[in-house]
Amino acid sequence: MVNQKIIYKDLGLIDFREAWIYQEKLFNEILSIKERNLKKPAGEQELTPNYLLFCEHPHVYTLGKSGSEANLLVSPDDLKIQGVALYRINRGGDITYHGPGQIVGYPIIDMDNFKLSVKRYIFNLEEAIVLTLKELGITAGRLDGATGVWLDAGIPHKARKICAIGVRTSHWVTMHGFAFNVNTDLNYFNSINPCGFTDKAVTSLEKEKRHRMDTENVKAILVDNICRVFGMDLLQ
């Protein structure tokens, strides 16, 4: 028996550490249920919940477990002056930026509920972003050898990332997720090699559409596409 319902929560503007602690709480809750289920017959097993968290963070750089500090191009003193925090965290990928105007999505789900591999899970996240951009009049896709969602991916000197993806999984449970640049101040990316790239640009919806976007509208479209791509039933 599987649970394909997902609980959606918009946390608003929230400190990165606070959101990380909350993610860990939900993540560990699901892992605990799965561990208990190993000791129960099929008819007595508990359903595992699934969560989709949206939020924005105050200015922060996060460095994945395989990332290099060399991709941070400013000193700790510079970070203090700029008011930007730095965290080394337990997701995959290298360094990225989170800040106001960005939709940060944290799906905390049991992939067994959706019969997903890690590869397919990441593909589905990318697909939901691609479909959302299509509805907003922007053609996007994937770049070979890199996660995330890109514009003009097939044109080396024009390729630019609009959504970064970095996840952690354990026993088929996910956490962390994606950072979708909507009205993001892209200047903060100048202090890092985003996702470890030194030859790729970063963009936002606002930059591509040449006007400020209605973030709430973008969220609504994105939630709908995530549910559609994954086959989820939304609970609020």
Side-chain angles (χ1 to χ4, degrees):
M1 192 162 57
V2 297
N3 175 26
Q4 295 188 323
K5 298 183 184 299
I6 189 155
I7 299 165
Y8 169 64
K9 296 184 179 183
D10 188 341
L11 305 179
L13 183 66
I14 183 172
D15 178 76
F16 180 82
R17 181 179 288 278
E18 184 179 350
W20 188 10
I21 290 170
Y22 185 49
Q23 281 193 79
E24 291 276 6
K25 175 180 176 293
L26 301 178
F27 180 79
N28 289 327
E29 168 194 329
I30 299 173
L31 287 177
S32 294
I33 294 172
K34 296 193 78 167
E35 186 175 354
R36 290 198 299 270
N37 282 344
L38 292 175
K39 302 171 185 176
K40 296 180 179 180
E44 297 178 14
Q45 292 182 357
E46 304 169 63
L47 292 177
T48 49
N50 307 290
Y51 300 93
L52 175 62
L53 310 179
F54 275 11
C55 63
E56 295 180 48
H57 294 308
H59 305 296
V60 60
Y61 296 120
T62 65
L63 185 63
K65 59 187 179 183
S66 59
S68 169
E69 291 187 7
N71 288 316
L72 176 64
L73 307 179
V74 294
S75 70
D77 287 342
D78 290 331
L79 291 180
K80 289 179 183 178
I81 292 168
Q82 295 172 14
V84 185
L86 172 66
Y87 291 98
R88 179 176 281 279
I89 63 174
N90 56 354
R91 61 160 170 79
D94 208 288
I95 195 166
T96 196
Y97 162 76
H98 299 310
Q102 186 182 68
I103 298 175
V104 180
Y106 296 132
I108 305 168
I109 69 170
D110 180 358
M111 289 191 289
D112 285 334
N113 284 330
F114 304 95
K115 297 180 171 60
L116 293 169
S117 64
V118 175
K119 183 177 180 181
R120 186 69 195 187
Y121 170 69
I122 292 173
F123 180 93
N124 282 2
L125 286 181
E126 293 168 341
E127 188 67 12
I129 300 290
V130 168
L131 291 173
T132 298
L133 288 166
K134 184 178 180 181
E135 288 189 46
L136 295 167
I138 294 176
T139 300
R142 298 170 179 82
L143 180 69
D144 288 343
T147 58
V149 177
W150 298 76
L151 277 55
D152 290 323
I155 308 174
H157 66 283
K158 291 183 68 177
R160 54 208 185 277
K161 181 179 276 192
I162 197 166
C163 180
I165 292 177
V167 305
R168 175 192 175 196
T169 65
S170 177
H171 300 283
W172 306 105
V173 180
T174 69
M175 64 178 290
H176 297 299
F178 62 84
F180 181 21
N181 296 327
V182 180
N183 298 311
T184 314
D185 183 346
L186 300 177
N187 289 316
Y188 283 89
F189 287 97
N190 294 332
S191 296
I192 60 173
N193 292 324
C195 301
F197 288 102
T198 58
D199 60 344
K200 299 287 188 297
V202 176
T203 192
S204 68
L205 262 175
E206 181 181 25
K207 182 175 181 178
E208 297 297 325
K209 299 293 287 186
R210 299 183 181 179
H211 63 82
R212 195 159 184 83
M213 303 298 295
D214 181 342
T215 304
E216 295 306 311
N217 179 57
V218 178
K219 286 179 183 177
I221 296 170
L222 181 52
V223 169
D224 182 66
N225 280 318
I226 289 173
C227 289
R228 187 149 51 94
V229 169
F230 281 90
M232 296 170 169
D233 297 319
L234 182 65
L235 296 175
Q236 294 196 34

